[in-house]
């Protein structure tokens, strides 16, 4: 007798893909996959950025029949994949400066247009530091001109490659090398930081989406959708970093899932500035469950903890749930 497939069986390579019909399987299940980011790179064990990039770029390769060029900002993704003279990339791939990946992507797209290679598509990618801080001006220009580039930000919430310094995507209270866990309000200061997906939406570009490495089918689907469109597109992927977050390597997927289930990281799509879909929370979880396994938040817990700061984080997660309608009213 055929048993119905449960939702949690569909996301994995070993079980879900074999149980699903071929068209529902992930790109990784296909022997035709491009292996865009191949084995042999030097990412840490459990690196969410390596996993996210592997799935995102392979999905983009499938969506474009391999007619893809990538520009890559300086950062962990570039450093662990491309220690000269070696590389793990199996596609035309250009290392830009730390801050100008979006502009390099624009230039490649313009060059392809001039050469009449309209079928060749372009992605630009980088970490949150390269995206929200130093590369922000170039990215905003790419959005404003509606250049034909998909920009993917792999958000591990700090400058990991250079030793975990705070970026403008570092969350409130997180300990980094530059936001120490000391004083009456330890960790990153409250109220600072940028919400890049919402800033991208404010540019009214054709497509903005968020995703995490907890739902790789969803990530692939969003890349595929982005590649079916033209103009400026932005994908913001939450990628836990065991080294910078002080988490166990085997907890990368669990933490990404908890970021969604707490409301800390809303997963949604938006077209031309309007939210068009959200991933609903099936099981609402208090923020403590997400924060506790991460040593960067250890100072919030225990006898000398900071319940007031935890309450602020919970309030922000609750606001996300309200703002994006992440919980259906009947189940709330
Ligand atoms: C103009 C410039 N300033 C500083 C650096 C040093 N640098 C290289 S990578 C990096 C941090 C990258 O952080 P992020 O973009 O968040 O990516 P991650 O390593 O976290 O994936 C820094 C500061 C540089 N390469 N160029
Ligand atoms: S420091 Fe973090 S982002 Fe960089 S390779 Fe290690 S786990 Fe990945």
């Amino acid at each position: 007798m055929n048993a119905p497939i449960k939702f949690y069986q569909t996301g994995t390579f070993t079980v879900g893909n074999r149980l699903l019909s071929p068209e529902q399987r992930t790109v990784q299940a296909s022997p035709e996959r491009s292996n865009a980011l191949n084995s042999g790179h030097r990412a840490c064990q459990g690196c969410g950025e390596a996993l996210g990039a592997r799935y995102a770029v392979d999905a983009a390769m499938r969506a474009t029949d391999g007619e893809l060029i990538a520009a890559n900002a300086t950062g962990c993704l570039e450093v662990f994949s491309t220690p000269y003279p070696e590389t793990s990339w199996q596609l035309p791939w250009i290392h830009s400066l730390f801050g100008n990946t979006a502009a390099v992507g624009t230039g490649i797209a313009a060059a392809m247009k001039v050469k009449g290679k309209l079928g060749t598509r372009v992605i630009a990618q980088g970490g949150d530091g390269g995206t929200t801080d130093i590369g922000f001006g170039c990215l905003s220009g790419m959005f404003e001109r509606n250049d034909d580039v998909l920009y993917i930000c792999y958000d591990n919430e700090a400058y990991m490659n250079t030793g975990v310094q705070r970026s403008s995507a570092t969350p409130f209270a997180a300990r980094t090398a530059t936001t120490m866990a000391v004083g009456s309000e330890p960790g990153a200061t409250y109220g600072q930081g940028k919400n890049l997906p919402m800033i991208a939406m404010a540019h009214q570009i054709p497509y903005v989406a968020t995703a995490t490495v907890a739902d790789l089918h969803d990530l692939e689907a969003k890349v595929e959708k982005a590649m079916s469109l033209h103009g400026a597109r932005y994908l913001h992927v939450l990628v836990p970093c065991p080294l910078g977050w002080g988490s166990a390597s085997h907890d990368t997927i669990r933490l990404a899932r908890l970021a969604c289930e707490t409301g800390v990281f809303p997963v949604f799509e938006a077209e031309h500035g309007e939210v068009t879909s959200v991933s609903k929370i099936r099981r609402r979880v208090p923020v403590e469950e997400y924060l506790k396994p991460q040593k960067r938040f250890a100072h919030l817990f225990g006898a000398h903890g900071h319940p007031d700061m935890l309450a602020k984080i919970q309030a922000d997660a609750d606001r996300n749930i309200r703002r994006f309608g992440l919980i259906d009213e009947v189940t709330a």
Side-chain angles (χ1 to χ4, degrees), residues 7 43 45 48 59 96 112-113 127-128 132 150 161 178 189 196 204 242 270 289 296 303 320:
F7 72 86
Q45 189 179 26
S96 70
M112 291 303 113
K113 196 171 168 189
D128 51 286
T132 67
L150 168 62
N161 177 56
T178 48
T189 315
L196 233 291
Q204 319 255 357
E289 254 189 69
R296 63 179 175 155
N320 281 338

Side-chain angles (χ1 to χ4, degrees), residues 49 74-76 98 127-130 134 156 158-162:
E49 190 165 64
T74 308
C76 265
F98 187 24
D128 51 286
I134 190 168
N156 53 25
Y159 291 54
M160 296 311 180
N161 177 56
T162 40

Side-chain angles (χ1 to χ4, degrees), residues 43-44 47 49 76 80 156 160 241-243:
C44 309
C47 174
E49 190 165 64
C76 265
F80 72 62
N156 53 25
M160 296 311 180
C241 163
L243 182 138

Side-chain angles (χ1 to χ4, degrees), residues 49-169:
E49 190 165 64
L51 179 64
R54 160 87 185 191
Y55 270 73
V57 183
D58 270 349
M61 286 287 272
R62 181 167 79 172
T64 58
D65 287 330
E67 289 283 312
L68 188 71
I69 301 176
N72 205 132
T74 308
C76 265
L77 181 59
E78 165 263 324
V79 169
F80 72 62
S81 65
T82 315
Y84 181 82
E86 298 159 4
T87 182
S88 282
W89 294 103
Q90 308 291 315
L91 79 164
W93 180 94
I94 296 171
H95 173 207
S96 70
L97 296 176
F98 187 24
N100 71 350
T101 314
V104 171
T106 293
I108 299 168
M112 291 303 113
K113 196 171 168 189
V114 167
K115 286 165 111 21
K117 295 191 170 182
L118 297 178
T120 304
R121 308 297 304 280
V122 183
I123 60 170
Q125 54 185 3
D128 51 286
T131 304
T132 67
D133 293 332
I134 190 168
F136 182 66
C138 289
L139 182 62
S140 178
M142 187 201 107
F143 289 161
E144 180 266 325
R145 294 184 303 267
N146 200 24
D147 294 328
D148 192 18
V149 177
L150 168 62
Y151 190 102
I152 307 176
C153 171
Y154 301 101
D155 181 7
N156 53 25
E157 302 190 326
Y159 291 54
M160 296 311 180
N161 177 56
T162 40
V164 197
Q165 293 85 17
R166 174 195 174 275
S167 80
S168 56

Side-chain angles (χ1 to χ4, degrees), residues 68-319:
L68 188 71
I69 301 176
N72 205 132
T74 308
C76 265
L77 181 59
E78 165 263 324
V79 169
F80 72 62
S81 65
T82 315
Y84 181 82
E86 298 159 4
T87 182
S88 282
W89 294 103
Q90 308 291 315
L91 79 164
W93 180 94
I94 296 171
H95 173 207
S96 70
L97 296 176
F98 187 24
N100 71 350
T101 314
V104 171
T106 293
I108 299 168
M112 291 303 113
K113 196 171 168 189
V114 167
K115 286 165 111 21
K117 295 191 170 182
L118 297 178
T120 304
R121 308 297 304 280
V122 183
I123 60 170
Q125 54 185 3
D128 51 286
T131 304
T132 67
D133 293 332
I134 190 168
F136 182 66
C138 289
L139 182 62
S140 178
M142 187 201 107
F143 289 161
E144 180 266 325
R145 294 184 303 267
N146 200 24
D147 294 328
D148 192 18
V149 177
L150 168 62
Y151 190 102
I152 307 176
C153 171
Y154 301 101
D155 181 7
N156 53 25
E157 302 190 326
Y159 291 54
M160 296 311 180
N161 177 56
T162 40
V164 197
Q165 293 85 17
R166 174 195 174 275
S167 80
S168 56
T170 299
F172 165 58
R175 182 196 67 192
T176 67
T178 48
T179 54
M180 305 301 248
V182 292
S184 57
E185 296 228 338
T189 315
Y190 188 74
Q192 294 180 5
K194 296 177 196 167
N195 185 327
L196 233 291
M198 297 198 73
I199 293 171
M201 279 170 64
H203 289 73
Q204 319 255 357
I205 56 176
Y207 187 67
V208 173
T210 62
T212 78
V213 289
D215 189 344
L216 294 161
H217 277 275
D218 179 66
L219 172 60
E220 285 183 345
K222 284 169 176 167
V223 170
E224 205 167 309
K225 175 148 185 195
M227 297 317 293
S228 75
L229 303 169
H230 283 271
R233 289 144 289 144
Y234 181 72
L235 181 57
H236 192 104
V237 190
L238 184 71
V239 290
C241 163
L243 182 138
W245 293 19
S247 54
S249 300
H250 59 251
D251 270 346
T252 293
I253 306 286
R254 183 165 80 99
L255 287 174
R257 185 176 299 119
L258 285 168
C260 306
E261 289 177 335
T262 50
V264 164
F265 187 84
V267 177
F268 65 94
E269 288 178 294
E271 292 177 43
H272 301 287
E274 279 183 45
V275 175
T276 50
S277 82
V278 299
S279 296
K280 298 278 182 183
I281 293 174
R282 278 190 292 260
R283 182 186 72 114
R284 190 177 191 169
V285 173
V287 293
E288 281 87 346
E289 254 189 69
Y290 168 63
L291 303 172
K292 255 192 185 155
Q294 305 179 47
K295 290 201 182 74
R296 63 179 175 155
F297 293 113
H299 50 281
L300 300 182
F301 298 97
H304 303 288
H306 291 270
D308 51 327
M309 294 172 79
L310 283 171
K312 275 185 182 171
I313 298 172
Q314 185 64 61
D316 284 351
D318 293 346
R319 188 189 55 190

Side-chain angles (χ1 to χ4, degrees), residues 5-12 15-16 257 282:
I5 299 171
K6 299 195 174 68
F7 72 86
Y8 54 79
Q9 293 178 311
T10 60
T12 67
V15 179
R257 185 176 299 119
R282 278 190 292 260

